Amino acid sequence: MNPLDFFPIKFLNPWALGFLLLVPILILLYFLKLKRPQVWIASTLLWQKVIEDMRVNSPFQRLKRSLLLLLQLLLLLLLIFALARPWLKSLSEKEESLIVVIDTSASMQAREPDGRTRLEHAKEAVESLIDGMSYRNEMALLAFDSRSRSLCPFTANQKRLRKALNQIVASDGLTDPANAFRKAKSLGASRGNPRLLLFSDGSFADPGKVEMPVEFHLVGTPLSNVAITGMDVRRSLTDPKQVELFAAVHNFSETTVNSTMSIYLDNELLDSKALALEPETSTSDVFTADIPGGGVLRVEIDLEDSLPLDNQASLIVPDPQPKKVLLVGNNTYYLEKALASAPDINITSCAMADYPEHADGSFSTVIWSNVEAPAVAAGNNIYLGCVPTAFDVKVDGLIKAPDIADWDNTHPLTRFIDFSNLLIADTFDLSMPKDADVVLSSSKTPIIAVFQRDGRYIVVSGFNVFKSSWPFQVSFVLFLHNCLNYFDAQQNLAGNVNVRVGNVLTAPEQKSTPVVRGPQGTREEMVHMPGGGYTYNGVDRCGVYTIEKLTDAVDRRFAANLLSQSESQLETVSNPISEVGKNTVTTAAAKINREYFRTLLMVALIILFVEWLVYHRRILA
Amino acid sequence: MAEPLLTSEMMVRLEQLQVVSRRMATGRMRGERRSRRRGFSTDFADYRNYVSGDDTRYLDWKIYARLERLYLKLFLEEEDLQVFILLDTSPSMDHGQPNKLHYAKQVAAALGYLCLCNMDSVSCQCFGETLLDKWGPKRGKPMASGFFDFLEGVSTGEQTSLTTSMKIFSQMNRGKGIVILLSDFYDFDGYEEALRYLFGRNFEVFALHILSPDEMEPDLKGDVRLVDKEFQVTTDISVGRNLLKLYERTLNTFCHGLRDYILARGGYYLLCSTELPFDRLVLDVLCRRGLLR
């Protein structure tokens, strides 16, 4: 058993008590009478009388002489014990542990009628709390938007709290306090009587039951606002050089708002349109523009309102990339001919046996033509007359001379195609996955279907094309072109180049660390993940982010937007949390572990000053 | 070559002075001093009745004319003064800046010279633990050079024992006279008994208490070890303001005690610091105090 366990005072650094060995050394040095200078005098007759008188008249003379020694010993002991960091469980009826959680989401940037933002109001309220803290109180600071972060652990140091508070800046992110509440609960678990104070405008979805009492401080007042709440862009299916832009605007005010919506491509005005926004209604529109290459599309509403950041949104239009298509099969000549007329296409053919040499994932689409046991390529896969064993496609026999019962002439794959004259010798009796779109079917079985797996498209055609009339029909060419265009339109534009604030950007594994340039010009290196690849977790502002220094020397751009009705509504909710927990700790005085090394150090400083005074008084005397 | 104890200018000035004795000492030889004894000189002293056999040349005829009775005139007889210079040559005197022993030699030379010039009988006795070297008694100015040579040859002796030295001195010198005691009076046995021996012999004691400036105002700081020159005794002290004040008080008590003891017995006491030039002491201070005229 540790002998120190018997003492009521515990020590965080008990090893420091080893320095107590210095105490006898100090005493020894003091009384060893280090070399005194000798002074020859005529006679010690009078001096001996003096000393005798002093001894008689002043019984504490020895003590006075040893005063310096006593002070030095006391100083040494104080320093040793301070180094040992003693702590004691101390009681206090008034001790409070405050966990202050501050909303820093996009809605907190709304400017109130007094010209200050909601976040500034919240910070002012928290600063008043800090100013009113007594020395027995402690406070921890958390901030949240769609994520939460700890700004300051529990401390009674008001200066430190103010510094952490001043460093809070609003983000353009959504509001999700759940993680913040979990963090607060974890913080409060180490305290007897914690209080959670939430400073927010309340514009978040009910997080459900919060496992501790929450004192909600409403910040802000209901405000009017107009915002871009939706935006999307895609290349035209019929003309890849054309881009279709969809934008939705919502008027959250009670009055009609007249404004102008402007569209810019790389900061050059493309189009503008007058808006007349009815109260509490949404207006959407579609714009078409010729954008053969890539660029940044930005939509702006020309309006001054309470929250300017949602009056504009940006989207990335990637450069159309040449489509690399691999044809796998023994007889792909007809496929090459059919695809040759498609623009920006790069065709490679190989036999099944040679496929492994081409399985490098560089092909956007692989077309399997009547091969046995086709594999699944990394990109999109079109199976003609063969069925992959993966996925959920089952073959239950062969159906001879299937009829053409129906086709979906609205689906992008089969739009403008007439299958009525298609003659098929036989087709697999297929069972398709439930999420598959059947674009051509007979009365007995789906013939052609399409579905998505892991971001790629899988098209399965159950019949041998060579045992049909299809290769001789225009619809065959059209079908293949539709497939490629559809894949391109969906993946190049709907991919992860347009993100929400709070999303994570990723980059593949490479030798050098990529750098992300933010919309405000900041540059940060991405973080290398243990499993390979890089991530960036700093998308907290609306705007364009660019990943630089990638291996292929091509910068990747991403656009982050708010596009949130709940965030832009700027309503304040006075009771956003329906269910809060109760403290199970009794209201008896809380006990915490309190360290005393600071007190010891302060006393040591005072002793040092007194010792200096005594020493100098002796010398000067 | 060491400086002489007295300069020629000093000697010239000393020749004008003489030691003042409160009591007129009787000596064996007729000197230049007024003696209490009535004799035959030109200075009228008193009358007495004429008795048969007295010298009729000294009858006062004027009184006879008035009173028709015969009275004899009496006159003061001038006699010599015995001056004993007792010089403390213990190791404690060999201290200070200026050196106490050298200072005492100079004072002894000055006082001895002027006494010799006044035809007083001068002797100089060194003492330490007991009586040491002696010069004299001699009289007359021609003896001065021998006296100076003696003083210059005096060196530090043994430890101090005032009592023993004074006892022996008083036993050896039964005649009356002036004792000029030049010492720092540092004796662990005290000074009372020693001085009683002198006063008991009815000597007229002039005590010159000689101390150096650093003894009167020690310039000590911090923790020091004091070493006694006479007994090699060490004393460790931690010098502070209070200690120095206490020393000052102790010194004053010592000096006042010595002064009061001597004055109470009809002696003469002067505390002098070696910081005061000895010629000023002799020509100025001692004259003002009445020891010299």
Side-chain angles (χ1 to χ4, degrees), chain A residues 201-212:
Chain A
D201 53 11
S203 61
F204 50 83
D206 192 337
K209 184 176 179 183
V210 180
E211 297 292 338
M212 63 188 297

Side-chain angles (χ1 to χ4, degrees), chain A residues 170-229:
Chain A
S171 75
D172 296 348
L174 304 173
T175 317
D176 183 4
N179 196 22
F181 291 147
R182 280 193 291 275
K183 268 192 186 160
K185 186 189 171 192
S186 166
L187 272 175
S190 63
R191 298 299 188 265
N193 193 20
R195 281 171 59 200
L196 194 159
L197 284 73
L198 175 62
F199 289 82
S200 172
D201 53 11
S203 61
F204 50 83
D206 192 337
K209 184 176 179 183
V210 180
E211 297 292 338
M212 63 188 297
V214 177
E215 202 174 299
F216 179 66
H217 293 259
L218 180 63
V219 180
T221 57
L223 297 169
S224 303
N225 191 31
V226 173
I228 299 172
T229 55

Side-chain angles (χ1 to χ4, degrees), chain A residues 33 35-51 53-54 57 64-65 617-621, chain B residues 92 95 100 186 188 215 218 220 223-229 232-233 235-238 241 243 246-247 250-251 254:
Chain A
K33 291 189 190 287
K35 200 173 176 184
R36 285 176 181 247
Q38 283 192 341
V39 177
W40 289 88
I41 59 172
S43 176
T44 53
L45 171 69
L46 295 180
W47 284 107
Q48 288 187 10
K49 285 185 182 172
V50 167
I51 290 166
D53 284 346
M54 278 187 83
N57 294 328
K64 273 192 198 172
R65 204 167 63 236
R617 206 166 162 230
R618 278 186 62 190
I619 295 298
L620 289 173
Chain B
S92 66
H95 176 80
K100 289 192 294 185
Y186 285 146
F188 281 91
E215 287 174 313
L220 297 170
D223 299 325
V224 293
R225 175 165 290 171
L226 303 176
V227 185
D228 189 317
K229 272 188 175 177
Q232 315 298 312
V233 171
T235 304
D236 290 341
I237 59 169
S238 294
R241 189 187 300 162
L243 191 77
L246 198 53
Y247 175 83
T250 305
L251 177 67
F254 178 69

Side-chain angles (χ1 to χ4, degrees), chain B residues 48-97:
Chain B
R48 70 173 172 82
N49 290 330
Y50 171 82
V51 292
S52 175
D54 287 334
D55 190 343
T56 57
R57 287 180 294 172
Y58 298 106
L59 285 172
D60 192 332
W61 296 113
K62 287 181 182 173
I63 291 181
Y64 180 74
R66 273 205 316 272
L67 302 176
E68 294 183 355
R69 290 182 74 173
L70 290 170
Y71 286 95
L72 205 66
K73 283 184 186 175
L74 296 176
F75 298 91
L76 291 173
E77 189 169 304
E78 291 188 352
E79 294 190 1
D80 66 337
L81 177 67
Q82 284 200 17
V83 177
F84 301 94
I85 299 175
L86 298 181
L87 181 62
D88 184 350
T89 57
S90 62
S92 66
M93 287 294 287
D94 186 17
H95 176 80
Q97 194 62 244

Side-chain angles (χ1 to χ4, degrees), chain B:
Chain B
M1 189 172 154
E3 284 186 13
L5 290 172
L6 297 177
T7 60
S8 48
E9 293 85 8
M10 181 70 176
M11 285 193 283
V12 166
R13 295 179 72 178
L14 287 170
E15 288 167 6
Q16 313 298 321
L17 300 172
Q18 65 179 142
V19 172
V20 173
S21 168
R22 291 182 196 158
R23 316 170 198 167
M24 273 159 276
T26 51
R28 293 192 187 86
M29 291 179 64
R30 283 179 180 257
E32 295 186 5
R33 299 256 163 209
R34 297 202 183 282
S35 165
R36 289 251 171 100
R37 287 179 58 179
R38 293 184 185 86
F40 297 95
S41 68
T42 57
D43 294 325
F44 170 78
D46 199 356
Y47 290 101
R48 70 173 172 82
N49 290 330
Y50 171 82
V51 292
S52 175
D54 287 334
D55 190 343
T56 57
R57 287 180 294 172
Y58 298 106
L59 285 172
D60 192 332
W61 296 113
K62 287 181 182 173
I63 291 181
Y64 180 74
R66 273 205 316 272
L67 302 176
E68 294 183 355
R69 290 182 74 173
L70 290 170
Y71 286 95
L72 205 66
K73 283 184 186 175
L74 296 176
F75 298 91
L76 291 173
E77 189 169 304
E78 291 188 352
E79 294 190 1
D80 66 337
L81 177 67
Q82 284 200 17
V83 177
F84 301 94
I85 299 175
L86 298 181
L87 181 62
D88 184 350
T89 57
S90 62
S92 66
M93 287 294 287
D94 186 17
H95 176 80
Q97 194 62 244
N99 189 276
K100 289 192 294 185
L101 181 60
H102 181 72
Y103 190 85
K105 286 183 193 178
Q106 286 179 309
V107 173
L111 293 176
Y113 177 75
L114 68 89
C115 289
L116 286 171
C117 291
N118 285 302
M119 297 301 286
D120 293 325
S121 169
V122 176
S123 61
C124 182
Q125 174 74 65
C126 299
F127 70 91
E129 197 172 25
T130 183
L131 295 183
L132 302 171
D133 298 335
K134 182 179 176 183
W135 180 90
K138 293 195 172 137
R139 69 173 77 236
K141 189 174 169 181
M143 300 296 113
S145 62
F147 179 47
F148 297 153
D149 291 340
F150 167 76
L151 285 175
E152 281 167 5
V154 166
S155 58
T156 311
E158 303 152 1
Q159 297 159 357
T160 307
S161 177
L162 269 173
T163 307
T164 306
S165 302
M166 295 305 109
K167 180 181 176 183
I168 297 171
F169 173 79
S170 62
Q171 285 172 349
M172 289 172 61
N173 297 277
R174 293 179 183 272
K176 293 179 183 177
I178 292 176
V179 169
I180 300 174
L181 180 53
L182 303 168
S183 174
D184 54 11
F185 292 93
Y186 285 146
D187 189 338
F188 281 91
D189 295 328
Y191 50 78
E192 290 87 347
E193 193 177 345
L195 290 173
R196 268 206 296 276
Y197 283 116
L198 294 178
F199 287 114
R201 288 291 182 207
N202 215 20
F203 285 114
E204 195 173 353
V205 177
F206 291 151
L208 293 181
H209 190 181
I210 301 173
L211 293 177
S212 61
D214 64 297
E215 287 174 313
M216 299 184 83
E217 290 182 8
D219 183 22
L220 297 170
K221 282 181 188 157
D223 299 325
V224 293
R225 175 165 290 171
L226 303 176
V227 185
D228 189 317
K229 272 188 175 177
E230 277 198 27
F231 300 98
Q232 315 298 312
V233 171
T234 61
T235 304
D236 290 341
I237 59 169
S238 294
V239 182
R241 189 187 300 162
N242 290 338
L243 191 77
L244 290 175
K245 277 186 184 170
L246 198 53
Y247 175 83
E248 186 187 340
R249 205 158 56 227
T250 305
L251 177 67
N252 287 341
T253 304
F254 178 69
C255 295
H256 292 159
L258 177 61
R259 179 196 67 187
D260 293 343
Y261 189 87
I262 292 171
L263 292 181
R265 284 151 183 81
Y268 179 88
Y269 171 86
L270 178 65
L271 172 65
C272 43
S273 165
T274 58
E275 199 175 26
L276 176 70
F278 91 96
D279 52 346
R280 270 194 60 199
L281 171 70
V282 173
L283 300 175
D284 184 14
V285 176
L286 293 182
C287 289
R288 279 194 283 112
R289 294 292 187 96
L291 174 63
L292 302 177
R293 67 169 178 212

